[in-house]
Amino acid sequence: FGTCTSCVDTTFTFDVTKPDGTLILNRSCDWVGAHSFRCDFAGATDNCPVTCNECTPAPTISPSLITSSAPTPLTCDNGFSTIDISVQTDGYASETSWTLSEVCNGNNNVIAQGGDDYANNNLYEEVIYNCDTQYEFTINDSFGDGICCEYGDGEYEVKKDGVVVASGGNFGSSESTPFGTCTSC
């Protein structure tokens, strides 16, 4: 009777229906496996089984990282982090670029980047879901005047799990900010 209708990150949405297709129950939950719910219909009570397979984390898509292949499920020993990156461009957005790299134990693996196709005076937001580790966010301005304040009110902000870890706009050619820890690498 139960069918998973969608799966995003670790939240399932499912419907329970009568044999004739009439919807009885629509729920969201975060469990994996088979479960039964008590369903009342037509004066009778029945157990309505629902089975959901494990979700695959939503893929990260950035302007410069678009792929048509299915995402590989991400496994992390010490949990996940959500990195939110907001960039408000100035009047010369073509000068702006940024990278987010994993830098634990001497590594420098770029996991996200942006700026290649940014338009002037626009807000761009990126959400990256990745293993909890040490990162470095670097923002660049090829002209060397940052993104604030001579040619617009550009700024950037980076949050890790909802906490601001980097922000600014008046930085010259480049600004880098490390955050997180290597204990989970």
Side-chain angles (χ1 to χ4, degrees):
F1 290 172
T3 306
C4 280
T5 55
S6 70
C7 181
V8 177
D9 290 337
T10 58
T11 302
F12 300 96
T13 301
F14 63 92
D15 296 333
V16 176
T17 56
K18 292 184 196 181
D20 68 358
T22 304
L23 180 67
I24 300 170
L25 182 68
N26 176 271
R27 289 267 172 89
S28 293
C29 63
D30 60 0
W31 46 253
V32 174
H35 296 269
S36 290
F37 293 86
R38 181 181 163 142
C39 302
D40 295 314
F41 55 89
T45 300
D46 197 2
N47 285 325
C48 300
V50 175
T51 302
C52 290
N53 296 320
E54 191 165 359
C55 287
T56 300
T60 298
I61 299 174
S62 67
S64 60
L65 183 64
I66 297 177
T67 179
S68 60
S69 62
T72 302
L74 186 61
T75 58
C76 299
D77 292 336
N78 292 322
F80 296 91
S81 288
T82 302
I83 311 297
D84 298 295
I85 299 171
S86 299
V87 176
Q88 171 68 51
T89 59
D90 64 2
Y92 292 90
S94 63
E95 300 170 356
T96 305
S97 64
W98 60 265
T99 58
L100 179 68
S101 302
E102 292 179 5
V103 295
C104 196
N105 298 325
N107 294 323
N108 189 15
N109 301 320
V110 175
I111 60 167
Q113 56 191 1
D116 293 339
D117 59 354
Y118 285 0
N120 297 344
N121 303 306
N122 277 306
L123 176 64
Y124 295 89
E125 295 180 307
E126 186 90 20
V127 177
I128 296 103
Y129 187 66
N130 201 45
C131 293
D132 189 19
T133 187
Q134 186 174 24
Y135 297 97
E136 184 172 76
F137 176 79
T138 301
I139 189 162
N140 303 294
D141 183 276
S142 62
F143 189 75
D145 62 350
I147 55 177
C148 183
C149 296
E150 193 171 337
Y151 298 104
D153 292 325
E155 63 183 348
Y156 71 91
E157 182 178 79
V158 179
K159 294 179 182 177
K160 178 180 181 267
D161 298 324
V163 176
V164 175
V165 294
S167 63
N170 191 2
F171 56 83
S173 295
S174 182
E175 185 168 74
S176 295
T177 304
F179 60 94
T181 60
C182 282
T183 57
S184 58
C185 296

